[in-house]
Amino acid sequence: MKKITLLLLLSCFVTGCLADEIYRITLLRAAPGSLAPLIEETKQLRESLKKNLIIMRHSQGDHWDLMLLERATKPLVKRHSFKSLIAFQHTFLAESAMSWQEVSKRAARSGLFHIEMFQAAPGKYQELVKQRAMENVYYHATQREGNVIFETTFGSDTDVFTIGFYKDLVTFATDPDLPTEVFEKAATDAGFTSRSTIGLYLRELLSSHQDTLATKID
């Protein structure tokens, strides 16, 4: 138990967490022929929010076209309406230990996002959150920035989702140039049996998983 607590605290330190921040996430699928005007509409929305909105355009791996990420206001204003431009809209709330300020900084220097959405297997929710934190510790020990971890609080059957921020596809796909033993030690130090079992352990905790790449809309 002490080792798990230490790992979670270290992950919190690595990802720059403070008090939990509440986020609003909006998934949009454009009506046929309306993607370009929908993108323009979301860019106008971002201007009205003083640029406090991150717009991610689906690249592969899921059914939506755009994900909008913003800090939720208190009290929450009504959800944004895109009228005839959309065929689908899903808005939900999530919390993260990562502050909006830090998330915005990461987004500003990134061009690609790796978004993973998880439904936990029965009784595995807390273990799934712990696994995500363990993986961040592993990434940090191998000279990489961890994922931002979000826990859904309202409006979605997604239990947990994470966003990885990358400069480009090459950065996403390329491991740091480190000896194999460094990766192995980082994995076991983070609490995994070995580097090769990180993904297998994650799969044990899931009933469903959506894996998506998205690019940034400037």
Side-chain angles (χ1 to χ4, degrees):
M1 180 62 70
K2 288 182 178 179
K3 184 175 181 181
I4 291 171
T5 302
L6 180 61
L7 286 170
L8 293 174
L9 288 173
L10 179 56
S11 179
C12 184
F13 171 75
V14 169
T15 56
C17 61
L18 299 169
D20 282 353
E21 191 94 79
I22 305 299
Y23 291 86
R24 176 159 57 179
I25 300 92
T26 303
L27 303 178
L28 300 171
R29 182 168 68 240
S34 297
L35 180 56
L38 178 60
I39 290 173
E40 289 305 312
E41 185 82 9
T42 60
K43 290 166 72 172
Q44 291 176 26
L45 172 63
R46 182 173 58 194
E47 290 300 314
S48 73
L49 296 173
K50 300 180 180 179
K51 299 190 181 298
N52 288 310
L53 180 72
I54 300 168
I55 308 171
M56 292 165 271
R57 179 178 176 181
H58 164 272
S59 173
Q60 60 181 33
D62 213 331
H63 64 282
W64 45 265
D65 292 307
L66 301 175
M67 173 186 279
L68 312 182
L69 179 67
E70 61 188 305
R71 184 182 187 182
T73 57
K74 295 181 180 180
L76 281 170
V77 297
K78 66 179 182 179
R79 73 174 189 168
H80 309 302
S81 176
F82 300 94
K83 301 178 182 178
S84 61
L85 296 176
I86 59 170
F88 166 88
Q89 177 173 345
H90 181 205
T91 300
F92 63 99
L93 299 178
E95 63 181 10
S96 177
M98 178 76 72
S99 70
W100 171 249
Q101 182 180 20
E102 180 60 28
V103 169
S104 298
K105 286 180 180 178
R106 291 194 179 195
R109 61 176 184 258
S110 302
L112 184 76
F113 307 95
H114 182 216
I115 304 165
E116 294 186 272
M117 294 184 166
F118 307 100
Q119 283 185 319
K124 297 294 185 179
Y125 177 84
Q126 292 299 333
E127 194 172 356
L128 172 60
V129 174
K130 185 189 77 174
Q131 192 280 342
R132 296 282 77 202
M134 289 166 57
E135 196 164 316
N136 276 349
V137 173
Y138 165 73
Y139 281 138
H140 179 67
T142 52
Q143 301 178 8
R144 290 173 287 184
E145 203 169 53
N147 296 310
V148 182
I149 302 170
F150 298 87
E151 297 181 61
T152 300
T153 57
F154 180 79
S156 176
D157 58 0
T158 294
D159 293 312
V160 177
F161 73 98
T162 58
I163 302 179
F165 295 78
Y166 297 89
K167 179 182 178 182
D168 50 32
L169 185 59
V170 173
T171 306
F172 167 72
T174 305
D175 285 337
D177 186 15
L178 298 170
T180 300
E181 55 267 24
V182 172
F183 288 102
E184 289 295 336
K185 185 177 186 303
T188 55
D189 286 351
F192 299 107
T193 304
S194 67
R195 180 189 183 188
S196 63
T197 61
I198 293 175
L200 294 175
Y201 175 46
L202 174 61
R203 186 63 187 87
E204 293 174 6
L205 309 177
L206 305 178
S207 60
S208 71
H209 172 210
Q210 293 172 297
D211 193 351
T212 303
L213 290 176
T215 55
K216 182 172 66 176
I217 298 293
D218 289 319

